[in-house]
Amino acid sequence: MGDGLPEQKRMEHFSEAYVRAIAAAAGFSVHRPEDDFDSTDLWISARGVVEYQGKRGKKRSPSLALQLKCTFKHQPTGGELHFPLKLKNYDDLRQEPDSMPRILVVVCVPEHWDERLVWSPEELRMLRCAFWTSLRGAPDVENDATVTVRLCSYLSPEELCRLMYLVSQEELR
Amino acid sequence: MNIVPRDISGSRALAPLDVAEYLRTAGWQPVEVYSDGDVDRAAVWAAPDDSVEVYVPLRVQARDYDHLLAHVINQVADVEGRPAHQILADIRTTRADVVRVRKASAAADGRLPLAAGPVLFAATADLMIAAASAAVEPRSAYSGRRSRRVQDFSEHASFGHTEEGSFVVRVVVPLPPRLAPRQTTLPVIAGESRADLPFNRQVTEMLLSAVRGAYRAATRAMLERSLEPFREQVKHGVSADLCKALAAMASEDSLIEISVAWSRAWPAPAPDARPIGFSRDVLDVLGEAAGFLGEAEPREDFELTGFVSHLHREPGQGPGEITVVGDVDGRSRKIRVVLDERDYELAVEAHRREDALALIGDLRKDGRQYRLERPRRLRLVPEPAVDDV
């Protein structure tokens, strides 16, 4: 590829596309805030009642905010990802007040671009996976530039549906 | 073009109540509220056609408030098919009537000469004060201190941002939240205030009534070559003060247009009416009418100081009539005053001693003659002795 988009932007767009695909598969809409917003990259919204494993959510039309990161340097082992988060981001995510629940999503991708998206006439594959966590109520950390956050939940269409169900139950705050 | 968060946070924060009131009056329905403990953090509203639902933040102090609200407004703009900035402007004035005074110049380039700016703004303020005074009590002219209600009005109504479209001065007249269930449209009776409405709404209704009345009177006055039609419009809010304010807006090449956009939160007396336009010749007639109506109304609490030039009393004791030569609006005038016996004796003494007389009363002009009614606090004002200089 030529000069094109800066690397960081490419990774942002890729990770956003990854999450949008998961949300679309789960039946949710995705919106991006106008203007840069330090603490939120995307809003996921459901329309109407969210159903999960036969259960109907208590409240309708839940919304969830995401802060999105993309990394190839840090990869999961044993189903867990340890990701260094800037202290500012960490504090933003653990504190309130916000108008909706907010989670951190980290998309892990292979090192090289030709490995991240595999296309053929039969299929399009995006590699590799995404993790999520909520830092609400996490402890205060001082004197560190970064905080290593442990993520152990994959973000899949079904998991996103479960998250939105929890939001509609007001159990994910 | 979408609005962005700084459009919301720039001048005045949008209150959740403003947004809710706009959505409600635009036919949106609240369908859900999300809370965090005891605190409501957001409400979900469904579009009138149920095509879209928006997630509206309820806490101004939330970090995402401006961003979410900008997103909501952009979504509402998509549903309504109107520019987002218009939606934002309407939300800001959902709970306000907006009066527009448009000076349409021949050049139509949206600019106003420096010299004309202060005059237009001052005249617009005077126009609103005249309407507020008429909403309290329609009279042909107002003098002395304004009532408490009029003073309160002038402190709470404000100039809004000017608009493109020749030069437009906006006056934002705030209204309280309307908490009662929506009523059907109330019947309109021209010039009659409805006591169940907030006073500020009564003022904007009176303004529209008065401006229409002034226009009607002016066109009839030009046909009949008489200013008498203006007297009939006093009950509709026309006053010397209103006519003077409108006349002050005149300039060689400009049409003046007055219009009102009613708050969506309160029943409107009529759909937003067409602007009422005043050409230069009509404004000139209003200038004449201002003087005509001003003379019809007594000027209360007028302080008269002058020399007694004439005394008259029927033989015997009792009240008498005097003539005082005093200043009225910078010109020397003869003013007749009927005094009771005691004050008449004082006036006689003043005349004998060649002292000035000071008194307070209600100054009225009958034809070409001035009279001071309800005279009181009469006293002599001696000439200073030579030694006192």
Side-chain angles (χ1 to χ4, degrees):
Chain A
M1 305 278 179
D3 291 329
L5 212 53
E7 178 61 17
Q8 185 178 356
K9 279 290 177 189
R10 284 180 82 182
M11 291 182 68
E12 282 177 19
H13 289 190
F14 187 87
S15 59
E16 181 175 328
Y18 188 97
V19 171
R20 282 183 179 269
I22 287 177
F28 306 130
S29 61
V30 180
H31 301 277
R32 171 177 270 282
E34 298 277 352
D35 274 3
D36 285 339
F37 186 22
D38 279 349
S39 310
T40 297
D41 295 303
L42 297 174
W43 291 310
I44 311 283
S45 300
R47 177 81 197 274
V49 175
V50 173
E51 289 193 21
Y52 175 71
Q53 292 186 346
K55 294 174 289 188
R56 288 172 61 85
K58 181 174 72 173
K59 297 204 170 185
R60 57 180 292 158
S61 304
S63 284
L64 178 66
L66 268 59
Q67 181 161 88
L68 194 55
K69 301 291 182 188
C70 188
T71 180
F72 64 86
K73 291 180 183 173
H74 304 279
Q75 299 292 332
T77 53
E80 275 191 16
L81 174 70
H82 292 85
F83 183 78
L85 194 64
K86 286 182 187 173
L87 183 60
K88 182 188 178 310
N89 290 158
Y90 176 79
D91 282 337
D92 282 347
L93 284 165
R94 70 183 187 88
Q95 290 173 13
E96 42 174 334
D98 287 327
S99 305
M100 65 179 71
R102 196 142 51 111
I103 60 173
L104 169 68
V105 173
V106 181
V107 179
C108 301
V109 299
E111 186 175 357
H112 304 291
W113 272 105
D114 55 5
E115 297 168 326
R116 293 172 185 174
L117 188 138
V118 178
W119 178 89
S120 73
E122 285 77 38
E123 65 179 359
L124 175 75
R125 283 193 289 137
M126 297 178 78
L127 286 84
R128 174 172 292 121
C129 61
F131 285 81
W132 77 271
T133 191
S134 170
L135 292 174
R136 168 99 181 239
D140 188 14
V141 173
E142 294 178 0
N143 302 322
D144 282 323
T146 62
V147 178
T148 299
V149 176
R150 177 172 163 265
L151 301 96
C152 48
S153 301
Y154 287 101
L155 186 70
S156 64
E158 180 163 352
E159 179 68 354
L160 184 58
C161 191
R162 187 181 77 89
L163 286 174
M164 298 298 274
Y165 171 78
L166 291 176
V167 174
S168 74
Q169 296 290 102
E170 293 184 310
E171 293 176 18
L172 179 67
R173 297 176 188 270
Chain B
M1 194 173 79
N2 284 351
I3 64 160
V4 293
R6 61 179 173 274
D7 292 328
I8 291 173
S9 57
S11 50
R12 178 177 69 87
L14 272 183
L17 186 60
D18 293 333
V19 180
E21 196 61 49
Y22 175 86
L23 291 174
R24 191 188 315 279
T25 57
W28 293 65
Q29 294 292 325
V31 296
E32 196 61 84
V33 175
Y34 279 88
S35 307
D36 191 0
D38 292 334
V39 180
D40 290 342
R41 70 202 297 195
V44 180
W45 288 73
D49 61 0
D50 211 30
S51 59
V52 165
E53 290 180 351
V54 292
Y55 191 89
V56 182
L58 295 177
R59 288 179 1 207
V60 177
Q61 62 271 37
R63 286 175 300 181
D64 55 2
Y65 183 80
D66 292 344
H67 284 78
L68 261 177
L69 212 48
H71 179 55
V72 167
I73 292 171
N74 292 328
Q75 288 178 291
V76 172
D78 281 342
V79 169
E80 296 193 8
R82 297 198 294 137
H85 281 277
Q86 242 182 52
I87 305 285
L88 178 58
D90 286 352
I91 291 175
R92 287 199 192 284
T93 55
T94 291
R95 289 188 289 128
D97 291 336
V98 178
V99 176
R100 287 185 173 80
V101 176
R102 180 168 171 265
K103 193 171 174 77
S105 69
D109 61 1
R111 290 181 293 172
L112 187 72
L114 269 179
V119 173
L120 181 61
F121 278 88
T124 300
D126 290 341
L127 185 74
M128 298 305 302
I129 298 296
S133 301
V136 174
E137 181 192 1
R139 290 167 64 174
S140 57
Y142 301 93
S143 60
R145 279 177 64 83
R146 301 292 187 179
S147 72
R148 183 73 245 173
R149 296 189 91 178
V150 174
Q151 286 181 46
D152 285 346
F153 174 82
S154 71
E155 287 164 12
H156 291 108
S158 58
F159 287 111
H161 290 295
T162 55
E163 291 177 3
E164 288 186 30
S166 293
F167 196 88
V168 179
V169 174
R170 292 167 78 235
V171 177
V172 180
V173 181
L175 299 174
R178 185 161 172 270
L179 302 176
R182 286 187 71 82
Q183 304 168 27
T184 54
T185 302
L186 297 172
V188 177
I189 303 172
E192 184 174 318
S193 297
R194 291 173 285 175
D196 54 330
L197 291 176
F199 178 70
N200 286 6
R201 166 52 67 85
Q202 293 179 39
V203 173
T204 38
E205 287 191 13
M206 181 60 79
L207 172 76
L208 201 60
S209 162
V211 167
R212 285 177 176 152
Y215 183 82
R216 277 197 299 271
T219 49
R220 278 188 58 198
M222 288 191 285
L223 281 172
E224 297 173 13
R225 294 177 175 273
S226 163
L227 295 173
E228 279 301 321
F230 281 93
R231 246 192 254 278
E232 300 160 19
Q233 299 297 327
V234 170
K235 61 179 180 285
H236 297 303
V238 175
S239 66
D241 308 63
L242 184 112
C243 292
K244 186 177 172 186
L246 286 168
M249 297 177 186
S251 64
E252 281 303 326
D253 61 348
S254 285
L255 178 74
I256 296 292
E257 288 181 350
I258 314 282
S259 62
V260 175
W262 304 105
S263 159
R264 300 165 74 118
W266 287 84
D272 288 352
R274 285 170 46 198
I276 302 139
F278 293 85
S279 55
R280 179 60 192 263
D281 56 344
V282 173
L283 292 173
D284 286 344
V285 173
L286 292 179
E288 296 291 317
F292 172 74
L293 289 173
E295 291 169 359
E297 192 74 23
R299 289 163 62 170
E300 294 178 353
D301 301 325
F302 185 83
E303 295 181 7
L304 172 64
T305 302
F307 290 94
V308 178
S309 68
H310 188 76
L311 297 158
H312 174 75
R313 184 163 64 176
E314 294 300 320
Q317 304 301 311
E321 186 180 270
I322 68 172
T323 300
V324 177
V325 179
D327 181 283
V328 178
D329 297 331
R331 298 180 70 173
S332 179
R333 302 287 190 188
K334 289 182 180 177
I335 302 130
R336 291 188 179 181
V337 192
V338 173
L339 297 175
D340 63 23
E341 183 175 343
R342 189 188 82 89
D343 285 343
Y344 185 81
E345 295 297 334
L346 275 174
V348 169
E349 184 65 14
H351 182 70
R352 187 185 68 75
R353 291 168 54 171
E354 296 183 354
D355 285 342
L357 202 65
L359 64 163
I360 293 175
D362 300 339
L363 185 71
R364 179 189 291 277
K365 190 174 181 188
D366 282 329
R368 298 174 68 165
Q369 179 68 55
Y370 282 94
R371 286 188 170 277
L372 192 74
E373 299 174 347
R374 296 198 311 129
R376 54 200 182 273
R377 291 164 56 184
L378 190 144
R379 61 185 174 88
L380 272 64
V381 183
E383 284 284 305
V386 173
D387 292 346
D388 293 340
V389 173

